[in-house]
Amino acid sequence: MNLRGLTMQELTEEMLALHQPKFRAKQLFQWIHQHRVVNFSDMLNVSKELRASIDAAHTLTQLTITERHLSQDGTEKLTMTLEDKSVIEAVIIPDKKRITLCVSSQAGCPLNCSFCKTGHLGFLRNLTVAEIVGQVYAAQKIVEKQERRITNIVYMGMGEPLLNTGNVIKSIQILTDDFGQNFSNRKITVSTAGIADQLHQLGSETGVNLAISLHAATNELRDKIMPINKQFPLEVLMKAIREYPAHKRKKTVLEYILLKGINDSAADAKKLAKITHQLDAKVNLIPFNSFEGTSFEASSEEVVLAFQKLLVDKHITAIIRTARGDESSAACGQLGVLSHKKS
Ligand code: SAH
């Protein structure tokens, strides 16, 4: 059992099963998640005997970074190989004040959104809790060398977080624990393609910010480009967003990739505005990142700006997300390029 994947509560139960007092769990949790030790022998205030007995049945396996690629804009893509040789990616995105880490929740993705590179690669498996938090620790180690820290985490890498809800929630509970990295849930955002029936659990158990990959403002178009819409159509998704526990504290972000001739007309902007008003949300407009084999094209800058203006004129907060890390295929929807080449 990899202890790195246990929440404080689970670790406490594990210690009790070993006839250890409760405070041992806190000590171990601190060593694993605050100091990020990789050997039981580094846990200085834990007796040798206990270390040896834990060591026999437990591991602290870390992720191995197999490739690092730094883009000119400072974005760094980390490729990591898991124990079963699956390959996942995480991306460090530095800004002036913030350093955001984009983490993966699955190896591959089963959703098959037509504009997304990861979807085209197919699905391997859900990531474990240890593999999700491990991405944060691997990245933290890198940025600490620059005397900085990861400030924000977005679940926007490979995979659909809400098809791995249990592990995603536990990973957030570990990352926000006072005895661990102590991230605020306000600095964590989970992005979903709209698995509506999981939103309540995510929100009530973590309180993290929500981003929805909307990309189309009618069921007709959304059915075509995001097959998951057939299972959770817009009206069902919108109801779940309205009821999302943290929605009132912080506006939900609707992500909208602008695809030339598909969803970028003035009529599309009007429909998107209506939905955004109904949800009291805000919009992130995302330039489409192209990849080999796709027939989609990015809308021109002129069209993107006109689309944004139509939303802003209706008093909607609509920002254009700048593409980051494009040249290393680290941008959104491009993750999985390296694993594809290797497989
Ligand atoms: N499955 C989750 C999280 C991963 S995708 C979700 O769908 O939200 C993270 C973001 O990248 C999503 O908004 C996704 O729609 C977007 N994305 C996917 N492919 C893209 C592409 N080719 N260009 C730009 N953004 C893309």
Coordinates of all heavy atoms in Angstrom, one line a residue, residues 56-117:
A56 N 7.7 -2.6 6.1 CA 7.5 -3.9 5.5 C 6.3 -4.0 4.7 O 6.2 -4.8 3.7 CB 7.4 -4.9 6.7
A57 N 5.2 -3.3 5.0 CA 3.9 -3.4 4.3 C 3.5 -2.2 3.5 O 2.5 -2.3 2.8 CB 2.9 -3.8 5.3
H58 N 4.3 -1.2 3.5 CA 3.9 0.0 2.8 C 5.0 0.6 2.0 O 6.2 0.4 2.2 CB 3.5 1.1 3.9 CG 2.4 0.6 4.8 ND1 2.6 0.0 5.9 CD2 1.0 0.7 4.7 CE1 1.5 -0.3 6.5 NE2 0.5 0.1 5.8
T59 N 4.6 1.4 1.0 CA 5.6 2.1 0.2 C 5.4 3.6 0.2 O 4.3 4.1 0.7 CB 5.5 1.6 -1.3 OG1 4.2 2.0 -1.8 CG2 5.7 0.2 -1.4
L60 N 6.3 4.4 -0.3 CA 6.1 5.8 -0.5 C 6.4 6.2 -1.9 O 7.1 7.2 -2.2 CB 7.1 6.6 0.4 CG 6.7 6.6 1.9 CD1 7.8 7.3 2.7 CD2 5.4 7.4 2.1
T61 N 6.1 5.3 -2.8 CA 6.5 5.4 -4.2 C 6.2 6.8 -4.8 O 5.1 7.4 -4.6 CB 5.7 4.4 -5.1 OG1 5.8 3.1 -4.4 CG2 6.3 4.2 -6.5
Q62 N 7.2 7.3 -5.5 CA 7.1 8.6 -6.1 C 6.9 8.5 -7.6 O 7.2 7.4 -8.1 CB 8.4 9.4 -6.0 CG 8.9 9.7 -4.7 CD 10.1 10.6 -4.9 OE1 9.9 11.8 -5.0 NE2 11.3 10.1 -5.0
L63 N 6.5 9.6 -8.2 CA 6.4 9.5 -9.7 C 7.8 9.8 -10.3 O 8.6 10.6 -9.7 CB 5.5 10.6 -10.2 CG 4.0 10.4 -9.8 CD1 3.2 11.5 -10.5 CD2 3.5 9.1 -10.1
T64 N 8.1 9.2 -11.4 CA 9.4 9.4 -12.1 C 9.1 10.4 -13.2 O 8.3 10.1 -14.1 CB 9.9 8.1 -12.7 OG1 9.7 7.0 -11.7 CG2 11.4 8.2 -13.0
I65 N 9.9 11.5 -13.2 CA 9.8 12.4 -14.3 C 10.7 11.8 -15.4 O 11.9 11.7 -15.2 CB 10.2 13.8 -13.9 CG1 9.2 14.3 -12.9 CG2 10.2 14.7 -15.2 CD1 9.5 15.7 -12.4
T66 N 10.1 11.5 -16.6 CA 10.9 11.0 -17.7 C 11.3 12.0 -18.7 O 12.3 11.8 -19.5 CB 10.2 9.8 -18.4 OG1 8.8 10.1 -18.4 CG2 10.4 8.5 -17.6
E67 N 10.6 13.1 -18.7 CA 11.0 14.2 -19.6 C 10.5 15.5 -19.1 O 9.5 15.6 -18.5 CB 10.3 13.9 -21.0 CG 11.2 13.8 -22.1 CD 10.5 13.4 -23.4 OE1 10.2 12.2 -23.6 OE2 10.3 14.3 -24.2
R68 N 11.3 16.6 -19.3 CA 10.9 17.9 -18.9 C 11.1 18.8 -20.2 O 12.1 18.7 -20.9 CB 11.9 18.5 -17.8 CG 11.6 17.8 -16.5 CD 12.6 18.3 -15.5 NE 12.6 19.7 -15.3 CZ 13.3 20.4 -14.3 NH1 14.1 19.7 -13.5 NH2 13.2 21.7 -14.2
H69 N 10.1 19.6 -20.5 CA 10.2 20.4 -21.6 C 9.8 21.8 -21.3 O 8.6 22.1 -20.9 CB 9.4 19.9 -22.8 CG 9.7 20.6 -24.1 ND1 9.4 21.9 -24.3 CD2 10.4 20.2 -25.2 CE1 9.8 22.3 -25.5 NE2 10.5 21.3 -26.0
L70 N 10.8 22.8 -21.4 CA 10.5 24.1 -21.1 C 10.2 24.9 -22.3 O 11.0 24.9 -23.3 CB 11.8 24.7 -20.4 CG 11.7 26.1 -19.8 CD1 10.7 26.1 -18.6 CD2 13.1 26.5 -19.2
S71 N 9.1 25.6 -22.3 CA 8.7 26.5 -23.5 C 9.3 27.9 -23.3 O 9.7 28.2 -22.1 CB 7.2 26.7 -23.6 OG 6.6 25.5 -23.9
Q72 N 9.4 28.7 -24.4 CA 9.9 30.0 -24.2 C 9.2 30.9 -23.3 O 9.8 31.8 -22.6 CB 10.0 30.6 -25.6 CG 11.3 30.6 -26.2 CD 11.3 30.9 -27.7 OE1 10.4 31.4 -28.2 NE2 12.4 30.6 -28.4
D73 N 7.9 30.7 -23.1 CA 7.1 31.5 -22.2 C 7.2 31.1 -20.8 O 6.5 31.6 -19.9 CB 5.7 31.6 -22.7 CG 4.9 30.3 -22.6 OD1 5.6 29.3 -22.0 OD2 3.8 30.2 -23.0
G74 N 8.1 30.1 -20.5 CA 8.3 29.7 -19.1 C 7.5 28.5 -18.7 O 7.7 27.9 -17.6
T75 N 6.5 28.1 -19.5 CA 5.7 26.9 -19.2 C 6.5 25.7 -19.3 O 7.3 25.5 -20.2 CB 4.5 26.9 -20.3 OG1 3.8 28.1 -20.2 CG2 3.6 25.7 -20.0
E76 N 6.4 24.8 -18.3 CA 7.2 23.6 -18.4 C 6.3 22.4 -18.3 O 5.6 22.2 -17.4 CB 8.2 23.6 -17.2 CG 9.1 22.3 -17.2 CD 10.4 22.5 -16.4 OE1 10.5 23.5 -15.7 OE2 11.2 21.5 -16.4
K77 N 6.5 21.5 -19.3 CA 5.7 20.3 -19.3 C 6.5 19.1 -18.7 O 7.7 18.9 -19.1 CB 5.3 19.9 -20.7 CG 4.4 18.6 -20.7 CD 3.7 18.4 -22.0 CE 4.5 17.9 -23.1 NZ 3.7 17.5 -24.3
L78 N 5.9 18.4 -17.7 CA 6.6 17.3 -17.1 C 5.9 16.0 -17.6 O 4.7 15.9 -17.5 CB 6.5 17.4 -15.6 CG 6.8 18.7 -14.9 CD1 6.6 18.6 -13.4 CD2 8.3 19.0 -15.2
T79 N 6.7 15.1 -18.1 CA 6.1 13.8 -18.5 C 6.5 12.8 -17.5 O 7.7 12.8 -17.1 CB 6.7 13.4 -19.9 OG1 6.4 14.5 -20.8 CG2 6.1 12.1 -20.4
M80 N 5.6 12.1 -17.0 CA 5.9 11.1 -15.9 C 5.5 9.7 -16.3 O 4.4 9.5 -16.9 CB 5.2 11.5 -14.6 CG 5.5 13.0 -14.3 SD 4.6 13.5 -12.8 CE 4.6 15.3 -13.1
T81 N 6.3 8.8 -15.9 CA 6.0 7.4 -16.2 C 5.6 6.7 -15.0 O 6.3 6.7 -14.0 CB 7.2 6.7 -16.9 OG1 7.6 7.5 -18.0 CG2 6.9 5.3 -17.4
L82 N 4.4 6.0 -15.0 CA 3.9 5.4 -13.8 C 4.4 3.9 -13.7 O 5.0 3.4 -14.7 CB 2.3 5.4 -13.9 CG 1.7 6.7 -14.2 CD1 0.2 6.6 -14.3 CD2 2.1 7.8 -13.2
E83 N 4.1 3.3 -12.6 CA 4.6 1.9 -12.4 C 4.2 0.9 -13.5 O 5.0 0.1 -13.8 CB 4.2 1.4 -11.0 CG 5.0 2.0 -9.9 CD 4.5 1.5 -8.5 OE1 3.4 1.9 -8.1 OE2 5.3 0.8 -7.9
D84 N 3.0 1.1 -14.0 CA 2.6 0.2 -15.1 C 3.0 0.7 -16.5 O 2.5 0.2 -17.5 CB 1.1 0.0 -15.0 CG 0.3 1.2 -15.3 OD1 0.9 2.3 -15.5 OD2 -0.9 1.2 -15.4
K85 N 3.9 1.7 -16.5 CA 4.4 2.3 -17.7 C 3.5 3.2 -18.4 O 3.8 3.7 -19.5 CB 5.0 1.2 -18.7 CG 6.0 0.3 -18.1 CD 7.4 1.0 -18.1 CE 8.4 0.1 -17.5 NZ 8.6 0.3 -16.0
S86 N 2.3 3.5 -17.9 CA 1.4 4.5 -18.5 C 2.2 5.8 -18.3 O 2.9 6.1 -17.4 CB 0.1 4.7 -17.7 OG -0.5 3.5 -17.5
V87 N 1.9 6.7 -19.3 CA 2.5 8.0 -19.3 C 1.5 9.1 -19.1 O 0.4 9.1 -19.7 CB 3.3 8.2 -20.6 CG1 3.9 9.6 -20.7 CG2 4.3 7.1 -20.8
I88 N 1.8 10.0 -18.1 CA 0.9 11.2 -17.9 C 1.7 12.4 -17.9 O 2.9 12.4 -17.9 CB 0.1 11.1 -16.6 CG1 1.1 10.9 -15.4 CG2 -0.9 9.9 -16.6 CD1 0.5 11.3 -14.1
E89 N 1.0 13.5 -18.0 CA 1.7 14.8 -18.0 C 1.1 15.8 -17.0 O -0.1 15.8 -16.7 CB 1.6 15.4 -19.4 CG 2.5 14.5 -20.4 CD 2.0 14.6 -21.8 OE1 0.9 15.1 -22.1 OE2 2.9 14.3 -22.7
A90 N 2.0 16.7 -16.6 CA 1.5 17.8 -15.7 C 2.2 19.1 -16.3 O 3.3 18.9 -16.9 CB 1.9 17.6 -14.3
V91 N 1.6 20.2 -16.1 CA 2.3 21.4 -16.7 C 2.4 22.5 -15.7 O 1.4 22.8 -15.0 CB 1.4 21.9 -17.9 CG1 2.2 23.1 -18.6 CG2 1.1 20.8 -18.9
I92 N 3.6 23.1 -15.5 CA 3.8 24.2 -14.6 C 3.7 25.5 -15.4 O 4.3 25.7 -16.5 CB 5.3 24.1 -14.0 CG1 5.5 22.8 -13.3 CG2 5.5 25.3 -13.1 CD1 7.0 22.6 -12.9
I93 N 2.8 26.3 -15.0 CA 2.5 27.6 -15.7 C 2.8 28.8 -14.9 O 1.9 29.2 -14.1 CB 1.0 27.6 -16.2 CG1 0.7 26.3 -16.9 CG2 0.7 28.8 -17.1 CD1 -0.8 26.0 -17.0
P94 N 4.0 29.4 -15.0 CA 4.3 30.5 -14.1 C 3.7 31.8 -14.7 O 3.6 32.0 -15.9 CB 5.8 30.6 -14.2 CG 6.3 29.5 -15.2 CD 5.1 29.0 -15.9
D95 N 3.3 32.6 -13.7 CA 2.8 33.9 -14.1 C 3.5 34.9 -13.2 O 4.4 34.5 -12.5 CB 1.3 34.0 -13.7 CG 0.5 34.8 -14.7 OD1 1.1 35.8 -15.2 OD2 -0.7 34.6 -14.9
K96 N 3.2 36.2 -13.2 CA 4.0 37.1 -12.4 C 3.9 36.7 -10.9 O 5.0 36.4 -10.3 CB 3.4 38.5 -12.6 CG 3.9 39.2 -13.9 CD 3.4 40.6 -14.0 CE 3.3 41.0 -15.5 NZ 2.0 40.8 -16.1
K97 N 2.7 36.7 -10.4 CA 2.6 36.4 -9.0 C 2.3 34.9 -8.7 O 2.6 34.4 -7.6 CB 1.5 37.2 -8.3 CG 1.9 38.6 -8.1 CD 0.8 39.3 -7.3 CE 0.9 40.8 -7.4 NZ -0.4 41.5 -7.6
R98 N 1.7 34.2 -9.7 CA 1.2 32.9 -9.4 C 2.1 31.8 -10.1 O 2.7 32.1 -11.2 CB -0.2 32.7 -9.9 CG -1.2 33.6 -9.2 CD -2.6 33.2 -9.6 NE -2.8 33.4 -11.1 CZ -4.1 33.6 -11.6 NH1 -5.1 33.5 -10.8 NH2 -4.2 33.8 -12.8
I99 N 2.1 30.6 -9.6 CA 2.5 29.5 -10.4 C 1.4 28.4 -10.3 O 1.1 27.9 -9.3 CB 3.8 28.8 -9.9 CG1 5.0 29.9 -9.9 CG2 4.2 27.6 -10.7 CD1 6.3 29.3 -9.6
T100 N 0.8 28.2 -11.5 CA -0.3 27.3 -11.5 C 0.2 25.9 -12.0 O 1.1 25.9 -12.9 CB -1.4 27.8 -12.5 OG1 -1.8 29.1 -12.1 CG2 -2.6 26.9 -12.6
L101 N -0.3 24.9 -11.4 CA 0.1 23.5 -11.9 C -1.2 22.9 -12.5 O -2.2 22.9 -11.8 CB 0.7 22.7 -10.8 CG 1.0 21.3 -11.3 CD1 2.3 21.3 -12.1 CD2 1.3 20.3 -10.1
C102 N -1.1 22.4 -13.7 CA -2.2 21.7 -14.3 C -1.9 20.2 -14.2 O -0.9 19.7 -14.6 CB -2.2 22.1 -15.8 SG -3.4 21.3 -16.8
V103 N -2.8 19.5 -13.5 CA -2.6 18.1 -13.2 C -3.6 17.2 -14.0 O -4.7 17.6 -14.4 CB -2.7 17.7 -11.7 CG1 -1.6 18.4 -10.9 CG2 -4.1 18.1 -11.2
S104 N -3.1 16.0 -14.2 CA -3.9 14.9 -14.9 C -4.7 14.1 -13.9 O -4.2 13.9 -12.8 CB -3.1 14.0 -15.8 OG -2.4 14.7 -16.8
S105 N -5.9 13.6 -14.3 CA -6.7 12.8 -13.3 C -6.8 11.4 -13.9 O -7.2 10.5 -13.2 CB -8.0 13.4 -13.1 OG -8.7 13.7 -14.3
Q106 N -6.6 11.2 -15.2 CA -6.6 9.9 -15.8 C -5.5 9.7 -16.8 O -5.0 10.7 -17.3 CB -8.0 9.7 -16.5 CG -9.2 9.8 -15.7 CD -10.5 9.6 -16.5 OE1 -10.7 10.2 -17.6 NE2 -11.4 8.8 -16.0
A107 N -5.1 8.5 -17.0 CA -4.2 8.2 -18.1 C -5.1 8.1 -19.4 O -5.8 7.1 -19.4 CB -3.3 7.0 -17.9
G108 N -5.0 9.0 -20.3 CA -5.9 9.0 -21.4 C -7.2 9.6 -21.0 O -7.3 10.1 -19.9
C109 N -8.3 9.5 -21.8 CA -9.6 10.0 -21.4 C -10.6 9.2 -22.3 O -10.4 9.0 -23.4 CB -9.7 11.5 -21.7 SG -11.3 12.2 -21.2
P110 N -11.8 8.8 -21.6 CA -12.8 8.1 -22.4 C -13.8 8.9 -23.1 O -14.7 8.4 -23.8 CB -13.4 7.2 -21.3 CG -13.3 8.0 -20.1 CD -12.0 8.8 -20.2
L111 N -13.7 10.3 -22.9 CA -14.9 11.1 -23.4 C -15.0 11.4 -24.9 O -16.0 11.6 -25.4 CB -14.9 12.4 -22.6 CG -15.3 12.3 -21.1 CD1 -15.4 13.7 -20.5 CD2 -16.6 11.6 -21.0
N112 N -13.8 11.4 -25.5 CA -13.8 11.5 -27.0 C -14.4 12.9 -27.5 O -15.1 12.9 -28.5 CB -14.6 10.4 -27.6 CG -13.9 9.8 -28.7 OD1 -12.9 10.4 -29.2 ND2 -14.3 8.6 -29.2
C113 N -14.2 14.0 -26.8 CA -14.5 15.3 -27.3 C -13.8 15.5 -28.6 O -12.6 15.2 -28.7 CB -14.2 16.4 -26.3 SG -15.0 16.2 -24.7
S114 N -14.5 15.9 -29.7 CA -13.9 15.8 -31.0 C -12.7 16.8 -31.2 O -11.9 16.6 -32.1 CB -15.0 16.1 -32.1 OG -15.6 17.3 -31.8
F115 N -12.6 17.8 -30.4 CA -11.6 18.8 -30.6 C -10.4 18.6 -29.7 O -9.4 19.4 -29.6 CB -12.1 20.2 -30.2 CG -12.9 20.2 -28.9 CD1 -12.2 20.2 -27.7 CD2 -14.3 20.0 -28.9 CE1 -12.9 20.1 -26.5 CE2 -15.0 19.9 -27.7 CZ -14.3 20.0 -26.5
C116 N -10.4 17.5 -28.9 CA -9.3 17.3 -27.9 C -8.4 16.2 -28.2 O -8.8 15.0 -28.5 CB -10.0 17.0 -26.5 SG -8.8 16.7 -25.2
K117 N -7.1 16.5 -28.2 CA -6.1 15.5 -28.5 C -6.1 14.3 -27.6 O -6.0 13.2 -28.0 CB -4.7 16.3 -28.4 CG -3.5 15.4 -28.6 CD -3.1 15.4 -30.1 CE -2.1 14.3 -30.3 NZ -1.8 14.1 -31.7

